[in-house]
């Protein structure tokens, strides 16, 4: 484990894998750097990149400084980029995809390129209203210290399969997930609105917008709205993949996009 300091003094824990161009791996809700699926994903991508796999603030071995703001999470990414030598590519999944876009928008030439998968913005006004109701339920459970119930409520509310939710307590990382449940509020802050397409249109680094064929329809709509807003963005559907995408499928396209003149096919089969 290595550490670095964010702008506000928060300690950020991270591991590095592989060699090659630096890539910051930005995970979604309730994920942490030592969670086995995250480790496996980071190590897969490290076949072509030096992957910086970190605990987002409030998770795992990283610290936290209140009050939470999205700007502080972007500062965290800036600190990881500095640790990586001053510039890096970004890959973000789910709420991490939203954070990756914010970093690409705010950090200028520190970001060499950004790829996102299933950005978890609200898909439309009806979904945003439903999400506000879900958020209040999650907040209530967190205030009551009911971390496990808050996690299950959140995942049920966003449409994860019932079997997945039922099996979560059997996962090796369940104890850690329960401890970091309060960071669900951070993910909700990132994802509760529609994509801010007018702001995102100002991103001026190579941007790749990816979604799974079997992911929720709202994520298809979100991906297409973001791609439409960014004239230079490339949109890719991953055939046969759902929200829990296989990094083995991502890796060839990451290489194509980030290491071969920034060209990207329009579809991945």
């Amino acid at each position: 484990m290595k550490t670095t300091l964010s702008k506000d003094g928060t300690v950020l824990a991270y591991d590095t894998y592989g060699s090659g161009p630096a890539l910051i791996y930005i995970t979604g809700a309730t994920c942490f750097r030592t969670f086995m699926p995250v480790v496996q994903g980071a190590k897969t991508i490290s076949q072509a990149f030096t992957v910086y796999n970190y605990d987002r603030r409030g998770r795992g071995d990283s610290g936290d400084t209140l009050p939470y703001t999205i700007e502080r999470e972007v500062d965290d990414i800036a600190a990881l980029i500095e640790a990586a030598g001053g510039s890096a590519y970004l890959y973000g999944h789910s709420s991490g995809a939203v954070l990756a876009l914010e970093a690409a928008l705010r950090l200028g030439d520190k970001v060499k390129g950004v790829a996102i998968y299933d950005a978890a913005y609200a898909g439309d006004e009806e979904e945003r209203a439903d999400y506000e109701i879900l958020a209040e339920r999650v907040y209530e459970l967190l205030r009551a210290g009911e971390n496990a119930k808050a996690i299950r409520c959140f995942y049920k509310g966003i449409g994860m399969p019932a079997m997945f939710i039922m099996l979560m307590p059997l996962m090796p990382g369940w104890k850690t997930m329960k401890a970091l449940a309060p960071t669900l509020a951070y993910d909700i802050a990132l994802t509760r609105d529609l994509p801010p397409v007018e702001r995102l249109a100002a991103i001026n680094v190579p941007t790749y917008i990816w979604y799974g064929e079997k992911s929720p329809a709202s994520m298809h709509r979100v991906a297409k709205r973001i791609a439409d807003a960014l004239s230079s963005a490339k949109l890719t559907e991953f055939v046969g993949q759902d929200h829990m995408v296989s990094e083995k499928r991502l890796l060839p396209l990451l290489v194509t996009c980030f290491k071969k003149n920034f060209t990207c096919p329009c579809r991945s089969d």
Side-chain angles (χ1 to χ4, degrees), residues 3 5 14 44 60 63 66 72 81 97 111 134-135 137 152 167-168 172 200 208 217 229 236-237 242 262:
T3 62
L5 290 179
Y14 68 96
T44 296
L66 300 177
R72 283 180 165 176
I81 291 174
V111 177
L134 173 63
R137 291 174 182 162
R152 288 193 290 266
L167 294 176
M168 286 179 72
L200 295 179
Y208 303 94
T236 300
E237 177 187 78
D242 57 20
F262 298 112

Side-chain angles (χ1 to χ4, degrees), residues 122-203:
D124 54 35
E125 289 291 349
E126 181 179 357
E127 186 174 312
R128 178 164 66 171
D130 290 341
Y131 198 44
E132 289 296 327
I133 295 171
L134 173 63
E136 289 305 315
R137 291 174 182 162
V138 172
Y139 296 155
E140 182 178 351
L141 289 168
L142 291 174
R143 286 193 293 267
E146 298 282 1
N147 286 11
K149 289 183 179 179
I151 293 172
R152 288 193 290 266
C153 176
F154 177 80
Y155 277 115
K156 181 180 179 181
I158 64 173
M160 293 298 285
M163 183 60 68
F164 171 83
I165 297 169
M166 185 177 70
L167 294 176
M168 286 179 72
L170 302 179
M171 295 179 180
W174 177 241
K175 183 177 179 180
T176 303
M177 291 174 73
K178 287 193 296 181
L180 60 78
T183 63
L184 285 171
Y186 304 171
D187 295 290
I188 290 169
L190 284 164
T191 61
R192 70 192 313 159
D193 292 319
L194 302 176
V197 290
E198 291 184 1
R199 286 197 311 108
L200 295 179
I203 293 175

Side-chain angles (χ1 to χ4, degrees), residues 13-70:
Y14 68 96
D15 297 314
T16 58
Y17 302 103
S19 60
L23 181 145
I24 313 299
Y25 186 41
I26 310 172
T27 56
T30 71
C31 290
F32 53 98
R33 80 177 206 292
T34 59
F35 188 38
M36 189 52 62
V38 172
V39 173
Q40 291 172 344
K43 287 186 175 181
T44 296
I45 296 172
S46 75
Q47 294 175 50
F49 297 89
T50 300
V51 177
Y52 285 71
N53 176 29
Y54 76 108
D55 283 321
R56 286 172 54 189
R57 60 174 51 217
R59 307 180 185 201
D61 294 305
S62 288
D64 202 0
T65 303
L66 300 177
Y68 172 82
T69 66
I70 294 171

